[in-house]
Amino acid sequence: MMDERLPKIFNDAELLKDWSASLQMLQTLSSTGSLNPLPDWLAVEIIWMEVQFEQQLLKIDQHTQHQFIKKSLLTLKNLPYYQELIQFNQQVQILDQQYLRSQGIDIIINKLSEYLAHPKSKEISPHPLFNIFHYKHLERLNQSPHHPLVHFFRHSSGCRNKSPVPNPYFDCDWYRENYLQDQPFKNPLLHYLAHFHETGIQPSQYFNNDYVRQTQKIPADVDPLAYYLKQLQSQGVNFRKNGFSPCPYFDREYYLASYQDIKTATEERGLEPFQHFSVSGIKEGRLGHPWLRRNMATQSMVEKFPANKRLAVLILGMHRSGTSAITRMINLLGLDVTTDLMPPASANPTGYWESVELREIHDGMLSSLDSSWDSILAIDDSKFETETIARFKTLLIDYIVREFSGSESFVIKDPRMCRLIPLWLDVLNGLNVQIKIVLPFRHPLEVAKSLQKREGFCLEKSFLLWLRHVLNAEKYTRGVKRCFVSYSQIVTNPQKVINAIAEQYSIDVPNISDSEEQIKQFIDGQYYHQRITDFELNEANLSGWILQVYEILNEWSEYTGDEQHFMNQLDNIAESMRQADKLYGNIIREKNNLHSAQLQTNKQACELAIQIKQLLEQNSGLEAIAKHNSLK
């Protein structure tokens, strides 16, 4: 009865200025104990009633009416939870003194009742998060006797299908669903104001407090949403066009560049792009980020994901080293793969078995690290601590949660992960995922010949790429359960490989014989290209590092004893490479910078040519019109 009837009773009472029915209902519910605990919205209603009674006492001259109001006021003060109301009135966090002063309130207001009693309270917002003009417009209260703040509390109680919003960035229904399931008596906005400093609390699905704190370096006691609104108000259109993103799934520059109507509305009408994205853009199918392909994981999905211990098998190997084959083999053992697989191609007719979205995220990461999938230079570890990389980590979390919330075990592959594995381990550990690593390797000359055919790389570049990938993958996965698998074993004896992985990683395969048969059909020797001959091996004249690392991996893949001596050997080779980097690293970077500058120049030249062409066409049109007019 309370949930459905009380808000309407108070709504009617405010319209009629007659609280008799609501006061009687409060007495009845109090006697039955139904108001324990007292809901926030009802506390506001009673304080508002008391304010109205106090103001009526000052205006009413007739003795009978005066006594009736005094009796009603006394009834309120005799309610069993009145002391609780006094405390609520004094401590409610919806009053912001500095914000009130900025709107012309020159007296100190310490209680909710003092704010409600102020003659300007229907026109003055008590807090930056309650936009009174926005609220009155949306709820059509401009000509209404309802007090906007009281109306908000009344109807954000969860009693109507869609709660009103105190500002465009706060979603009461989403907040209640994610944080107040066990506290339905709490008001979402009040709860947020008391808990915004806590990790994981955010005002809506798309406004990420933790991300704003991290990227903007604001202290924990500063409300990220209030900070965002302040920047929006102080900078105006400039902030709407160039402001920071409150969520890792929204790239303001990309959004404006992608949608001309949004850009025009921002410049001409002051549209706020992030507000449009979170309220309307997603529903319209607009992308807020170049890597975003579907709805993001909700906060509750992210929070629930670590509750179940999942298994992730990461395939870490150099390009053209059998990573696709081993991924599909493990998939056939029962582990899930991503849903957005790259389609097969002539270079990989049986499929790549990796995610399109994940590849683009990885490319973005590498670019932000001043690297790329085919860069032979090492990545400086310190660059992994930047704000941009923190944003990418959030994208990885979102990707994993969206793709594998329904999976107990899954396998992920992308050779780019070899360069980014510290981030992956950090993210998966944070999600309470059990990690197992498979490191497939292939003879570097076969890899180099394959890349020479596919990409046109010289052999020496591919050798260095091969070293970077295998050394990086080995170094950063120490301490994690892992196994090395040679490409020749994958294609010549897949049953042995898959049985070893299943046994070593305790993967339960109920129908192992069926899986082995599927794997046998999938692995076909006809796809074993670029096999090297002894003559080719002699002609290639591989450097010491290349052969040493390959021989170490080959021996390691069959070894079951102490592995420290293998790691020591690889560390020595890696250190030698670091020293060599000092000689040629800057030369390569200088060449890369020149190449980038040339590409930028070419791009600008193309844009200029297009503009000139448009101007010529426009001028030609004007001349034609002038000639036509002169003939009239």
Side-chain angles (χ1 to χ4, degrees):
M1 178 189 293
M2 182 184 71
D3 287 344
E4 296 177 359
R5 291 185 57 190
L6 262 185
K8 186 178 186 308
I9 289 173
F10 277 95
N11 201 70
D12 293 343
E14 188 175 18
L15 283 172
L16 300 171
K17 297 294 183 183
D18 181 359
W19 278 272
S20 302
S22 53
L23 189 57
Q24 183 178 358
M25 181 68 73
L26 286 174
Q27 288 180 293
T28 302
L29 291 172
S30 299
S31 63
T32 62
S34 301
L35 299 182
N36 187 23
L38 182 68
D40 286 347
W41 75 270
L42 202 50
V44 174
E45 293 282 10
I46 298 171
I47 292 171
W48 177 232
M49 285 174 60
E50 185 175 4
V51 168
Q52 295 296 293
F53 289 154
E54 297 281 4
Q55 291 183 342
Q56 286 180 14
L57 284 177
L58 299 175
K59 297 177 182 178
I60 295 175
D61 295 327
Q62 297 180 15
H63 180 73
T64 303
Q65 288 185 330
H66 196 274
Q67 290 301 314
F68 176 76
I69 296 299
K70 288 186 67 175
K71 183 179 178 181
S72 299
L73 192 56
L74 183 62
T75 300
L76 267 186
K77 295 183 177 182
N78 285 331
L79 291 173
Y81 39 78
Y82 187 73
Q83 290 302 315
E84 182 182 340
L85 278 171
I86 293 176
Q87 186 176 8
F88 180 90
N89 187 26
Q90 294 173 336
Q91 297 180 357
V92 66
Q93 293 177 293
I94 197 69
L95 302 175
D96 185 310
Q97 299 295 340
Q98 184 177 358
Y99 194 66
L100 286 168
R101 282 197 300 272
S102 70
Q103 298 177 92
I105 302 295
D106 54 2
I107 61 172
I108 300 297
I109 295 180
N110 292 316
K111 300 177 183 178
L112 178 61
S113 57
E114 293 172 352
Y115 166 75
L116 294 175
H118 195 283
K120 294 184 179 180
S121 66
K122 289 186 178 181
E123 308 298 329
I124 296 293
S125 300
H127 194 280
L129 299 195
F130 186 78
N131 187 325
I132 207 162
F133 298 105
H134 171 82
Y135 187 85
K136 288 170 68 174
H137 173 72
L138 288 183
E139 296 296 319
R140 300 178 180 177
L141 298 181
N142 287 319
Q143 305 301 322
S144 169
H146 290 301
H147 194 292
L149 185 63
V150 177
H151 185 275
F152 164 71
F153 277 97
R154 181 183 301 148
H155 293 290
S156 61
S157 60
C159 299
R160 79 180 196 183
N161 291 334
K162 175 65 177 174
S163 296
V165 292
N167 68 70
Y169 306 92
F170 195 93
D171 187 331
C172 288
D173 293 327
W174 182 89
Y175 192 92
R176 182 181 291 104
E177 180 183 349
N178 284 273
Y179 305 115
L180 298 178
Q181 287 284 1
D182 58 342
Q183 302 179 76
F185 51 90
K186 289 288 186 181
N187 174 267
L189 183 57
L190 287 188
H191 186 273
Y192 173 80
L193 291 173
H195 297 274
F196 67 78
H197 59 281
E198 297 176 8
T199 301
I201 296 291
Q202 55 190 69
S204 68
Q205 179 177 351
Y206 306 111
F207 195 103
N208 190 316
N209 279 9
D210 294 335
Y211 180 73
V212 173
R213 277 193 205 94
Q214 189 175 49
T215 57
Q216 302 305 307
K217 306 298 183 184
I218 59 176
D221 60 347
V222 173
D223 175 9
L225 178 53
Y227 177 81
Y228 185 84
L229 293 174
K230 183 177 180 180
Q231 301 301 314
L232 188 61
Q233 182 179 20
S234 61
Q235 298 184 40
V237 173
N238 183 55
F239 183 82
R240 295 167 192 270
K241 292 170 62 177
N242 306 306
F244 64 84
S245 172
C247 125
Y249 317 112
F250 180 75
D251 185 317
R252 192 179 301 267
E253 182 179 354
Y254 170 81
Y255 200 65
L256 290 170
S258 300
Y259 305 107
Q260 183 61 43
D261 58 328
I262 302 299
K263 182 180 180 182
T264 300
T266 299
E267 294 172 345
E268 296 181 358
R269 302 198 305 274
L271 176 74
E272 211 282 88
F274 175 72
Q275 179 186 338
H276 181 274
F277 164 73
S278 58
V279 175
S280 306
I282 292 175
K283 296 176 184 177
E284 296 169 0
R286 301 186 194 239
L287 299 182
H289 196 282
W291 306 309
L292 191 62
R293 282 178 162 71
R294 65 203 80 174
N295 288 337
M296 293 81 70
T298 63
Q299 184 67 25
S300 60
M301 286 173 63
V302 175
E303 291 172 353
K304 292 174 183 176
F305 191 87
N308 299 320
K309 190 71 174 181
R310 294 174 169 84
L311 168 66
V313 176
L314 305 184
I315 311 301
L316 302 180
M318 171 60 185
H319 302 263
R320 316 307 296 161
S321 295
T323 56
S324 301
I326 195 69
T327 302
R328 176 55 172 161
M329 289 163 66
I330 294 176
N331 169 234
L332 290 172
L333 288 181
L335 278 72
D336 295 327
V337 291
T338 185
T339 56
D340 67 326
L341 292 172
M342 291 174 59
S346 58
N348 232 350
T350 56
Y352 289 88
W353 300 96
E354 65 185 64
S355 163
V356 174
E357 178 182 5
L358 191 56
R359 181 186 61 177
E360 293 184 356
I361 293 176
H362 285 159
D363 280 338
M365 283 185 178
L366 290 169
S367 177
S368 70
L369 293 165
D370 298 323
S371 186
S372 63
W373 78 269
D374 63 339
S375 172
I376 63 173
L377 296 177
I379 297 174
D380 184 353
D381 285 351
S382 65
K383 292 185 177 181
F384 285 107
E385 304 301 323
T386 63
E387 295 176 5
T388 302
I389 293 302
R391 172 178 180 167
F392 282 110
K393 285 172 66 175
T394 308
L395 287 173
L396 284 182
I397 292 171
D398 172 72
Y399 169 80
I400 295 166
V401 171
R402 278 190 286 108
E403 283 293 314
F404 302 114
S405 284
S407 303
E408 293 183 2
S409 55
F410 51 93
V411 56
I412 301 178
K413 166 255 176 178
D414 180 2
R416 295 161 180 79
M417 294 169 70
C418 294
R419 310 296 297 272
L420 302 167
I421 191 60
L423 299 178
W424 269 96
L425 296 179
D426 190 26
V427 166
L428 290 173
N429 284 323
L431 290 172
N432 194 34
V433 174
Q434 183 184 13
I435 306 168
K436 302 293 177 65
I437 305 292
V438 177
L439 299 108
F441 64 94
R442 185 181 183 183
H443 196 288
L445 184 53
E446 292 182 353
V447 171
K449 289 180 64 180
S450 182
L451 285 174
Q452 186 179 54
K453 180 180 179 180
R454 194 186 77 175
E455 304 289 345
F457 292 168
C458 66
L459 297 182
E460 291 76 12
K461 174 175 180 175
S462 295
F463 291 152
L464 284 170
L465 278 176
W466 184 86
L467 277 174
R468 290 291 183 206
H469 280 70
V470 298
L471 290 176
N472 216 64
E474 187 281 321
K475 173 186 174 182
Y476 287 104
T477 56
R478 294 175 184 179
V480 182
K481 187 73 172 178
R482 60 187 184 172
C483 66
F484 293 88
V485 180
S486 72
Y487 181 71
S488 60
Q489 285 184 336
I490 292 173
V491 295
T492 59
N493 197 351
Q495 288 89 344
K496 178 183 176 182
V497 172
I498 213 66
N499 285 333
I501 291 174
E503 180 180 353
Q504 185 171 349
Y505 290 165
S506 302
I507 298 174
D508 181 27
V509 187
N511 301 310
I512 186 68
S513 58
D514 292 343
S515 297
E516 288 178 346
E517 183 59 31
Q518 288 179 294
I519 290 168
K520 184 178 179 181
Q521 293 175 10
F522 172 71
I523 300 296
D524 190 330
Q526 67 174 309
Y527 295 125
Y528 191 176
H529 303 301
Q530 312 303 336
R531 299 192 196 205
I532 57 172
T533 64
D534 291 339
F535 174 77
E536 289 174 316
L537 188 57
N538 292 329
E539 286 291 307
N541 192 26
L542 299 182
S543 72
W545 293 344
I546 306 295
L547 285 178
Q548 286 177 50
V549 172
Y550 179 70
E551 289 169 359
I552 291 170
L553 297 180
N554 240 343
E555 185 180 352
W556 201 341
S557 66
E558 301 289 342
Y559 189 76
T560 57
D562 181 23
E563 302 175 335
Q564 187 60 50
H565 67 290
F566 292 128
M567 290 186 278
N568 291 340
Q569 293 177 66
L570 294 180
D571 283 343
N572 290 334
I573 294 171
E575 178 58 32
S576 297
M577 288 189 67
R578 278 192 290 273
Q579 295 302 321
D581 281 348
K582 295 178 181 179
L583 292 175
Y584 61 73
N586 286 335
I587 297 173
I588 294 174
R589 292 185 188 94
E590 183 178 334
K591 182 178 179 181
N592 289 342
N593 290 337
L594 288 173
H595 180 65
S596 297
Q598 184 62 50
L599 290 176
Q600 183 65 24
T601 301
N602 292 343
K603 179 182 177 182
Q604 292 173 349
C606 289
E607 292 174 349
L608 182 60
I610 292 172
Q611 292 174 5
I612 292 172
K613 181 181 178 183
Q614 291 173 342
L615 288 172
L616 289 174
E617 291 175 348
Q618 183 180 4
N619 186 54
S620 177
L622 292 172
E623 289 178 352
I625 293 172
K627 183 177 181 180
H628 176 75
N629 290 336
S630 66
L631 294 174
K632 287 185 177 181

